[in-house]
Amino acid sequence: MIEGFLSNNLNTYLFVGLFLLSCGILGVIYRRTLIAMLISIELIMNGAGLNFVAFNRFISPEGPDGMIFTLFIMGLAAAEAAIALAIIILIFRKYRSIESAEMEEMKD
Amino acid sequence: MIHIGEPIFILMMIITMAGALTTVLSASVIYALIGLVATMFGISGLYIYLNAPFLAMMQILIYVGAITILIAFAIMLAGPFYKRPREWNGITKFIAALIVSLISFFMFFTIIMKVPWNEGKGTFNLLTKDIGRALFDRYAFSFELISLVIIVSIIGAIMLAMLSKGEK
């Protein structure tokens, strides 16, 4: 078994997950194109999954509950990426642009 | 005496964080995608350190293998590169986004450091067999619901692609 101070500490993994969450929030607000925003949302989901597995490893090591939730997050992320990219391609065909600032009109 | 696993763990953390920063701050979308791939590899390394090798394999298969390729095809389909504007939005919006993310970061950081997590005592060596058994025993309903969601999203993506063929 791997022994070590950093790799055997819960707060390290929580810090990495928190860093991914902050980077995702920064990307969702800052980036211009819709695809980059989708990539940032993937970062947030991965931080959540990492936190689930870390809590499962350190807090309740009896059952595989956190790992199953991470698998569910992966499946939902796949479904969300598929449907969001289809919508983005539609938006590009209609507006000839994938910038978020150009989608002003909702009707038409 | 420092253990051999510790520098590799620090390397995995650095790969994850640098990939996340590249994803957010790079000027082009395709560089952001490459940063996302680096982040996924780093997170799968962290999963191996958390004694979850099945999840590490699933991370590489699903994210690096499926979702990244899907996003790459969407980037290639969404117009040529030279017509696309640069990714930065002006310094004021960057400062605003930085303030929001730093506030959330320090808020959650104080919460994480303050809460006393009472850690469990048992050893954590769960096999893939345990994951599969719990997936079909306790979480069977959720599992079927996830499969239903994936089927509905696939049908929805196909319908979106079909209905938009006529218009321009």
Side-chain angles (χ1 to χ4, degrees):
Chain A
M1 204 48 56
I2 298 163
E3 293 294 333
F5 176 66
L6 273 180
S7 61
N8 214 358
N9 200 351
L10 174 60
N11 286 332
T12 314
Y13 298 99
L14 292 185
F15 177 74
V16 177
L18 179 58
F19 190 81
L20 290 179
L21 170 73
S22 301
C23 281
I25 291 173
L26 180 64
V28 169
I29 299 174
Y30 174 56
R31 300 307 289 255
R32 286 182 84 146
T33 56
L34 294 172
I35 295 179
M37 289 181 184
L38 182 70
I39 292 174
S40 304
I41 292 173
E42 298 290 333
L43 275 186
I44 296 178
M45 284 187 167
N46 274 285
L50 185 63
N51 275 5
F52 267 119
V53 181
F55 279 127
N56 189 11
R57 156 84 167 80
F58 287 103
I59 303 293
S60 74
E62 294 87 13
D65 303 326
M67 293 201 277
I68 285 172
F69 272 100
T70 304
L71 285 177
F72 286 166
I73 286 176
M74 284 180 192
L76 284 180
E80 173 245 346
I83 199 80
L85 288 174
I87 292 175
I88 287 172
I89 294 298
L90 279 191
I91 286 173
F92 175 73
R93 277 194 204 156
K94 192 169 179 58
Y95 290 93
R96 312 304 298 172
S97 162
I98 52 170
E99 280 187 73
S100 61
E102 304 230 345
M103 266 69 81
E104 291 170 339
E105 49 184 287
M106 289 295 284
K107 54 180 190 251
D108 175 60
Chain B
M1 178 62 192
I2 188 165
H3 199 271
I4 187 62
E6 200 73 7
I8 303 176
F9 178 76
I10 296 173
L11 180 68
M12 285 299 166
M13 277 180 63
I14 290 173
I15 285 175
T16 307
M17 292 183 177
L21 282 180
T22 309
T23 304
V24 175
L25 296 177
S26 66
S28 166
V29 188
I30 201 78
Y31 291 159
L33 190 65
I34 293 171
L36 184 74
V37 171
T39 312
M40 294 311 149
F41 273 114
I43 288 176
S44 87
L46 293 184
Y47 281 160
I48 286 177
Y49 273 86
L50 282 169
N51 290 340
F54 176 69
L55 276 186
M57 203 59 229
M58 278 296 125
Q59 179 89 11
I60 292 179
L61 271 181
I62 293 178
Y63 278 105
V64 183
I67 293 180
T68 308
I69 301 300
L70 198 64
I71 295 174
F73 270 101
I75 290 172
M76 286 190 277
L77 284 176
F81 257 99
Y82 56 89
K83 284 183 184 173
R84 205 168 300 157
R86 307 285 287 177
E87 274 288 336
W88 44 64
N89 241 346
I91 192 68
T92 57
K93 195 166 182 182
F94 178 68
I95 289 174
L98 198 64
I99 286 172
V100 171
S101 64
L102 280 182
I103 283 176
S104 66
F105 181 81
F106 283 112
M107 193 175 69
F108 283 113
F109 189 73
T110 51
I111 291 173
I112 284 173
M113 287 305 162
K114 194 178 291 182
V115 173
W117 311 106
N118 39 5
E119 304 193 355
K121 292 305 174 196
T123 58
F124 184 77
N125 45 5
L126 292 167
L127 301 174
T128 312
K129 189 173 70 178
D130 300 325
I131 298 176
R133 184 164 292 159
L135 207 58
F136 282 101
D137 182 15
R138 250 184 308 171
Y139 296 100
F141 186 64
S142 313
F143 185 69
E144 299 299 328
L145 273 186
I146 293 288
S147 68
L148 186 66
V149 165
I150 290 178
I151 284 178
V152 166
S153 78
I154 289 172
I155 293 174
I158 293 173
M159 286 304 289
L160 281 175
M162 280 175 62
L163 287 184
S164 71
K165 193 181 287 182
E167 53 192 65
K168 180 66 179 149

